[in-house]
Amino acid sequence: MKYYPLEDNDNHRIWIAVQKELEYYGLRRFEIETWFKNTGMESYEDGKVIISVPCGSIKEWLEMEKYHKAIINSLRSILRMEIESIEYRNRDETGEN
């Protein structure tokens, strides 16, 4: 597998595009605004994407099949690369702001 280094700015732009794309996968605007607020894409490496979330409850919601599948499909569509896994990283646990 290849490593695709992404600048922080690239990560932000990709994540904004993912959130816009989610509506095509059946999510409603209020769901995206509620569950994706203060989230971000940290990295993509070897088919693994790391998404930062603000708290454990948001992490649990995004891990639900409905949201998780939509995120994977959106990432695949935008990046045009295979996504093997997504890790939702809780910033509360890592001490990040």
Side-chain angles (χ1 to χ4, degrees):
M1 293 245 165
K2 291 184 175 182
Y3 171 66
Y4 298 92
L6 298 171
E7 301 295 326
D8 285 341
N9 194 24
D10 291 339
N11 288 343
H12 178 73
R13 281 186 280 169
I14 291 166
W15 191 239
I16 294 299
V18 165
Q19 291 179 54
K20 290 179 182 177
E21 180 97 357
L22 289 171
E23 289 187 66
Y24 294 108
Y25 293 100
L27 300 185
R28 292 172 291 213
R29 173 67 21 213
F30 82 88
E31 290 177 289
I32 296 166
E33 290 171 356
T34 300
W35 301 116
F36 291 81
K37 184 178 181 180
N38 298 320
T39 62
M41 188 171 108
E42 289 183 16
S43 66
Y44 171 78
E45 184 175 355
D46 292 330
K48 180 179 180 180
V49 176
I50 298 177
I51 305 297
S52 64
V53 299
C55 62
S57 61
I58 299 295
K59 180 178 184 283
E60 289 174 14
W61 275 96
L62 296 187
E63 289 173 333
M64 292 174 57
E65 183 175 358
K66 173 183 177 179
Y67 297 106
H68 183 75
K69 284 177 89 174
I71 293 167
I72 285 180
N73 289 332
S74 295
L75 283 164
R76 286 177 178 155
S77 174
I78 291 163
L79 294 174
R80 301 199 186 286
M81 298 175 202
E82 186 57 35
I83 306 299
E84 294 178 13
S85 67
I86 298 177
E87 176 185 342
Y88 301 96
R89 191 172 287 169
N90 183 348
R91 287 191 301 266
D92 284 349
E93 295 173 357
T94 63
E96 296 177 21
N97 291 324

